[in-house]
Amino acid sequence: MITTDILIIGAGPTGLFSVFEAGLLKMKCHLIDALPQAGGQLTELYPKKPIFDIPGFPSINAGELVDNLMEQIKQFQPGFTLGETAQTLTKLEDGTFEVITNKGTVHHAKAVAIAGGLGTFEPRKPTIENIADYEEKGVEYFIKEPEHFRNKKVVIAGGGDSALDWSIFLSDIASEVTLIHRRNEFRGALDSVEKVQALKDQGKIHLVTPAEVTGIKGDGKVSAITIEKDGVTSDLETDYFIPLFGLTPKLGDLANWGLNIEKNAIVVNNALDYQTNIPGVYAIGDINTYPGKLKLILCGFHEATLMCQSVYNMLNPGKRYVLKYTTVSGVDGFDGSRKEAEKAVVKKID
């Protein structure tokens, strides 16, 4: 069993920043996310796209923002359960919570903060009749461990950043990488498109456009895919087929937790602390709703701060917390590290 003060469901920017705010209050955090890495939409959908409305950053790439948040919270030593979805929530007799994932991992927490962005991300699957028969048998929607594809034949389908970036990455690992897209044009970062062009010219990536994968073949495991190009079909031998067509957000099992839900979002009390109708369970970031709600990262940061203050007060009844600016108080990490401003020097000037 994993035990923590605040269990955060969702490791996107709002969830990650919650770790920092909780750490300032000496509270430990553990995060659950269905994706295989932290960062949420920023990492999975547009890691190289610039964001222009983060205070203090005229422009910052989404992936860089995630890296910065991970560096910021490192000293507070958060735990992560990645590649799993929170499935059940049980409030125990002592007021604490037990959350179990779809893979049976048990978490025990004093408070729960749902920071699931737009919900659980599920892959958009191509309309191939028998694709379900080959899932986890050669059909993969996420790349969790690149080494799994070493010296294998891999076919990637898609035309966005994920398809481009993974084709580039796997070109040095797989024995053969084929990228298939239904158009000749790709919608992704310019440097990624140019890298794929260069690797194609070097023979390290086979590019098939405009074309679509229409079928999968194999005896219990993928051995080939069927491609349709210019009205002509052909088979291509492969060990893996990886369709990367983006993700679809859904509330998933959260919808069965007894929370007040309105238009696929969790209703919270924004007048105080973003608590849901279940005391001790909060919802912050894009997944919540209240009058005047704005789905912006900076709003999620604000909500995370107030949520952590509320949890502190709940766990420390009667104990007054005096807010101090970090420029004055410094930051003490759970790993023994300390960050603080340089001390003022008292010295006479002749």
Side-chain angles (χ1 to χ4, degrees):
M1 179 183 291
I2 295 169
T3 302
T4 189
D5 293 319
I6 305 177
L7 181 65
I8 302 170
I9 299 172
T14 297
L16 293 176
F17 186 66
S18 298
V19 176
F20 179 79
E21 288 298 316
L24 293 179
L25 299 168
K26 308 302 181 188
M27 295 185 295
K28 291 279 290 182
C29 293
H30 189 93
L31 300 94
I32 300 174
D33 202 290
L35 295 174
Q37 69 284 314
Q41 297 180 65
L42 273 64
T43 299
E44 188 65 26
L45 298 184
Y46 47 91
K48 295 187 177 181
K49 297 290 179 66
I51 302 173
F52 301 105
D53 61 352
I54 302 299
F57 291 93
S59 175
I60 183 169
N61 284 352
E64 184 183 356
L65 176 59
V66 172
D67 291 341
N68 288 352
L69 286 165
M70 291 293 286
E71 180 64 27
Q72 185 179 30
I73 67 176
K74 183 170 64 176
Q75 68 191 110
F76 294 123
Q77 301 177 315
F80 290 89
T81 299
L82 300 174
E84 301 182 29
T85 59
Q87 195 165 57
T88 63
L89 169 75
T90 304
K91 191 166 187 177
L92 306 178
E93 289 185 6
D94 62 357
T96 60
F97 298 90
E98 182 181 83
V99 174
I100 303 177
T101 70
N102 62 318
K103 295 187 178 179
T105 307
V106 181
H107 304 76
H108 181 251
K110 299 171 184 176
V112 174
I114 303 170
L118 298 175
T120 300
F121 288 110
E122 296 183 5
R124 289 194 178 98
K125 301 180 181 181
T127 54
I128 299 173
E129 185 177 352
N130 62 339
I131 193 167
D133 297 335
Y134 293 98
E135 290 174 354
E136 297 186 1
K137 299 174 183 177
V139 170
E140 305 288 343
Y141 300 109
F142 299 106
I143 298 176
K144 298 179 182 179
E145 179 48 68
E147 280 296 319
H148 190 63
F149 304 96
R150 182 164 293 280
N151 300 323
K152 302 293 185 180
K153 295 180 180 179
V154 176
V155 172
I156 294 175
D161 282 314
S162 291
L164 291 165
D165 292 344
W166 279 118
S167 295
I168 294 166
F169 192 90
L170 292 179
S171 67
D172 286 328
I173 295 176
S175 61
E176 184 178 297
V177 174
T178 301
L179 175 59
I180 299 173
H181 184 39
R182 65 179 183 272
R183 298 187 181 93
N184 291 319
E185 301 80 16
F186 288 83
R187 187 182 295 274
L190 179 60
D191 66 322
S192 295
V193 176
E194 291 176 343
K195 284 179 183 176
V196 168
Q197 178 68 62
L199 290 168
K200 173 183 177 291
D201 294 342
Q202 296 168 25
K204 297 188 70 175
I205 291 178
H206 304 293
L207 192 62
V208 184
T209 61
E212 288 189 69
V213 177
T214 58
I216 304 173
K217 296 182 178 181
D219 185 10
K221 189 181 184 306
V222 172
S223 62
I225 50 111
T226 301
I227 303 171
E228 183 176 325
K229 177 177 169 60
D230 299 327
V232 178
T233 60
S234 60
D235 290 342
L236 175 66
E237 289 186 4
T238 188
D239 297 303
Y240 291 95
F241 172 49
I242 309 172
L244 298 174
F245 297 144
L247 304 169
T248 301
K250 293 183 179 179
L251 277 182
D253 292 305
L254 300 181
N256 303 318
W257 287 5
L259 300 162
N260 286 342
I261 295 174
E262 182 180 292
K263 295 181 179 178
N264 214 41
I266 301 170
V267 178
V268 296
N269 172 17
N270 70 305
L272 186 61
D273 55 11
Y274 305 97
Q275 202 159 181
T276 69
N277 59 298
I278 301 176
V281 177
Y282 301 75
I284 53 178
D286 287 356
I287 202 163
N288 74 15
T289 186
Y290 53 83
K293 169 69 179 180
L294 293 176
K295 293 189 176 185
L296 298 172
I297 293 174
L298 62 92
C299 293
F301 290 166
H302 163 76
E303 294 166 12
T305 304
L306 296 187
M307 176 275 294
C308 289
Q309 293 285 330
S310 176
V311 174
Y312 177 87
N313 290 329
M314 179 181 71
L315 300 184
N316 300 277
K319 185 176 181 179
R320 184 167 175 263
Y321 172 73
V322 179
L323 176 66
K324 294 181 180 179
Y325 300 110
T326 54
T327 50
V328 176
S329 65
V331 178
D332 292 307
F334 298 153
D335 58 359
S337 63
R338 177 168 176 78
K339 296 178 181 177
E340 61 182 336
E342 291 185 9
K343 302 294 184 183
V345 176
V346 180
K347 185 178 180 181
K348 180 180 179 181
I349 300 177
D350 296 325

